[in-house]
C-alpha cells in the first residue's frame, strides 16, 4: 500500500492553524526586540568608545607616548643572539 501525502486542507485541519493575528503580533514583537537589541549594541559601543577615549586622555596626562614606548619582549636573549 503506497502512502500518499496529505492534502493541504486536511493537514491544516489535522494540525490546526494559527490565527493570522497571532502571527502578525509575533512578527511585530520580533521586529521590536531586534530594534531594541540594535539600540543596546549601539549604546554599548558608544560607551566603549567613551571609555577608551577617557583612558587615552589619562595616559596622555601621565606622559605616555605610544609611538616612543619601550619595546618589550618576553623572549630572553633575543637581542643578544646574532646569526652566524
Amino acid at each position: 500500500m503506497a502512502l500518499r501525502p496529505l492534502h493541504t486542507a486536511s493537514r491544516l485541519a489535522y494540525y490546526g492553524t494559527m490565527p493570522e493575528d497571532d502571527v502578525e503580533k509575533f512578527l511585530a514583537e520580533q521586529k521590536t526586540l531586534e530594534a531594541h537589541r540594535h539600540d543596546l549594541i549601539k549604546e554599548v559601543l558608544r560607551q566603549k568608545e567613551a571609555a577608551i577615549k577617557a583612558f587615552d586622555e589619562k595616559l596622555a596626562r601621565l606622559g605616555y607616548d605610544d609611538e616612543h614606548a619601550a619595546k618589550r619582549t618576553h623572549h630572553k636573549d633575543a637581542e643578544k643572539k646574532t646569526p652566524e
Side-chain angles (χ1 to χ4, degrees):
M1 172 181 223
L3 295 175
R4 293 183 312 158
L6 293 174
H7 294 285
T8 305
S10 60
R11 243 186 295 163
L12 290 176
Y14 179 74
Y15 291 112
T17 60
M18 182 181 270
E20 282 295 315
D21 293 338
D22 290 343
V23 172
E24 295 299 324
K25 182 179 174 183
F26 176 77
L27 292 175
E29 287 176 1
Q30 290 298 314
K31 282 185 179 181
T32 303
L33 288 174
E34 190 67 22
H36 183 64
R37 181 176 156 264
H38 284 292
D39 290 342
L40 290 174
I41 291 170
K42 286 179 186 177
E43 178 63 20
V44 167
L45 291 175
R46 188 194 60 74
Q47 290 176 2
K48 177 183 173 186
E49 184 67 30
I52 290 172
K53 184 178 178 182
F55 187 76
D56 287 344
E57 288 172 356
K58 286 180 184 179
L59 285 176
R61 277 188 266 141
L62 292 172
Y64 180 78
D65 183 14
D66 188 32
E67 289 184 23
H68 299 98
K71 304 295 182 201
R72 294 184 172 207
T73 179
H74 64 275
H75 298 285
K76 296 192 188 269
D77 300 328
E79 297 172 359
K80 293 181 183 177
K81 293 183 179 179
T82 57
E84 294 180 28

